[in-house]
Structures are given as C-alpha cells and as structure tokens.
Amino acid sequence: AQTVTQSQPEMSVQEAETVTLSCTYDTSESDYYLFWYKQPPSRQMILVIRQEAYKQQNATENRFSVNFQKAAKSFSLKISDSQLGDAAMYFCAYRSIANRDDKIIFGKGTRLHILP
Amino acid sequence: NAGVTQTPKFRVLKTGQSMTLLCAQDMNHEYMYWYRQDPGMGLRLIHYSVGEGTTAKGEVPDGYNVSRLKKQNFLLGLESAAPSQTSVYFCASMIRDRTREQYFGPGTRLTVT
C-alpha cells in the first residue's frame, strides 16, 4: 500500500524568506499524481500545486515550486518570498492512476508559521 | 456554481444520537469522498463513491454509513455517535479527467459529548 510521510510537523520562516517542506512517499507504481494542498485557518482545502509522475519537469505555480525526485520518492514544496498569508497547514498527497477507485492518500501535514 | 457544499457546518451530538451529514456538488462529478480530519492525523478516507448508486469503504469506515442515491449528493450517516467520532468532516468530489483534482467542501465540525 502507498504511504505518504511528512517528517516536519511544524516549521517557521521569516517573512520574505524561502522555505522548503519535505514529503516522501512509498509506492511500487510508475505512474501517479502528487499534490500539495494548503489548509488555512478557514479550514478550506486549497490545491497549491500538482505534479504528474511521468513529467520530469518540476511543477511551478508563481511563488510555489516543487522538487520532484522520482527515484528517491521525494516531493518537496518550496515557497519563495514567504508571505503572512502562506501561514497554514500543508498536506502532501498521492494519487494512483492505475487504481480505478482514485483514492488520494494524504500525509499528516506540516504547519507553517510565518514570522513578521 | 456553488462547488461542493456541506450541511451542517457545525453540530454537537450526545453519545448515542444519530445524524446525517449532507454533501452536495453541482459540477456533475462522478467521484465523491468523505474524509475525517483529526489533529496530527491528516485526512483519512471514510467512504467513497465512484458513481451514483455505488459506495465503498475507505480507511476508517467503522461507525459510519453512506448513500449515493443521486449523483450530486453523498450522505454520511452516524447511527450511534461516539466521542471518538468528534472530528472535522470533509467531503470532496472529482471528475476522472487528466487533472484528477479533488474539490473540497468547507468541512463540518462535529462534537460528540
């Protein structure tokens, strides 16, 4: 069974600095999706970035980028120029493509604090 | 489009009471999911549905039942609430396209005393 591990329960970063959140996963599949979701205090789950495993190029969305290392099964999220609004819980998630049920597996989350 | 909505947003139950959480989506999505979120545990899948009239168990199904009588609605039932079911419940829906993006509802905070 697939698993997703986020080893940093909490992190802090100074406003305007760069921070990297770690995520590793375990799978025997070759094709899958990886996601980072943001959950601010409002509780709403917001998709930050998506990576398709067959794509070698790392996904980027404005200040958010990933470092996808398929062989190492690592999928870290880099936030550049951190802003106060980035303070949230961040979840890494894995989705199999082969499995028709299309279940998504979440890590336990990393709470990110932004220091003014 | 309202997206994914959940009713109610908050609820307090006494042990042994029953209730139903309603999830509705207006995006014509085939797939729908119920998760619970507990501190330090991330989101765990309770039940899911890959189409109208079909449901399946997820990671933590005990104590819950679901029904998907209409494509746009996915109901989560607690027959006899227990304090261990105190949690925040999220519904999500998805269309099985290239993006595989799940759309989440705003969550329901349930407290069982």
Side-chain angles (χ1 to χ4, degrees):
Chain A
Q2 295 89 4
T3 58
V4 177
T5 302
Q6 293 179 250
S7 58
Q8 306 148 316
E10 287 195 62
M11 294 188 71
S12 296
V13 64
Q14 209 75 34
E15 193 177 2
E17 298 291 307
T18 295
V19 64
T20 299
L21 280 58
S22 301
C23 173
T24 58
Y25 58 95
D26 188 29
T27 184
S28 59
E29 298 176 337
S30 60
D31 205 7
Y32 45 86
Y33 289 91
L34 295 165
F35 305 87
W36 277 99
Y37 281 90
K38 171 185 178 181
Q39 186 182 42
S42 67
R43 261 191 351 225
Q44 183 68 49
M45 293 287 286
I46 302 164
L47 179 65
V48 174
I49 202 163
R50 170 181 52 241
Q51 176 79 41
E52 297 168 47
Y54 71 89
K55 290 185 177 178
Q56 293 187 343
Q57 187 173 4
N58 289 326
T60 299
E61 288 287 344
N62 300 315
R63 296 182 296 107
F64 298 87
S65 61
V66 298
N67 183 4
F68 174 47
Q69 302 286 333
K70 191 172 184 179
K73 297 178 183 173
S74 170
F75 184 60
S76 60
L77 175 70
K78 186 171 84 170
I79 306 174
S80 304
D81 185 25
S82 298
Q83 300 175 0
L84 294 177
D86 295 333
M89 183 73 89
Y90 286 83
F91 293 98
C92 178
Y94 170 100
R95 159 162 273 136
S96 167
I97 289 179
N99 190 335
R100 181 181 177 268
D101 294 339
D102 253 304
K103 291 183 282 187
I104 190 169
I105 299 165
F106 288 89
K108 294 184 177 181
T110 297
R111 184 171 299 282
L112 179 65
H113 303 277
I114 309 295
L115 306 174
Chain B
N1 281 358
V4 181
T5 58
Q6 292 183 230
T7 309
K9 289 187 169 48
F10 303 92
R11 185 73 186 269
V12 178
L13 285 179
K14 291 188 184 333
T15 297
Q17 287 185 319
S18 63
M19 78 162 294
T20 300
L21 282 66
L22 170 63
C23 176
Q25 52 94 6
D26 60 2
M27 297 173 284
N28 203 34
H29 286 174
E30 289 290 337
Y31 288 65
M32 295 187 76
Y33 307 83
W34 275 108
Y35 297 92
R36 60 177 289 173
Q37 183 180 19
D38 303 293
M41 297 298 291
L43 276 77
R44 293 182 292 169
L45 183 63
I46 305 171
H47 285 281
Y48 63 100
S49 169
V50 300
E52 182 179 325
T54 71
T55 63
K57 294 180 180 179
E59 181 186 354
V60 288
D62 293 343
Y64 305 95
N65 57 73
V66 288
S67 64
R68 184 101 182 265
L69 298 179
K70 293 182 179 180
K71 186 178 184 179
Q72 63 268 33
N73 295 338
F74 195 29
L75 280 64
L76 178 70
L78 286 73
E79 290 186 348
S80 179
S84 61
Q85 294 177 304
T86 293
S87 188
V88 178
Y89 292 85
F90 286 95
C91 176
S93 71
M94 186 192 76
I95 191 165
R96 203 164 189 253
D97 63 4
R98 186 185 60 79
T99 68
R100 295 293 211 285
E101 180 178 348
Q102 278 195 337
Y103 293 80
F104 284 85
T108 295
R109 181 176 291 280
L110 175 66
T111 302
V112 183
T113 61

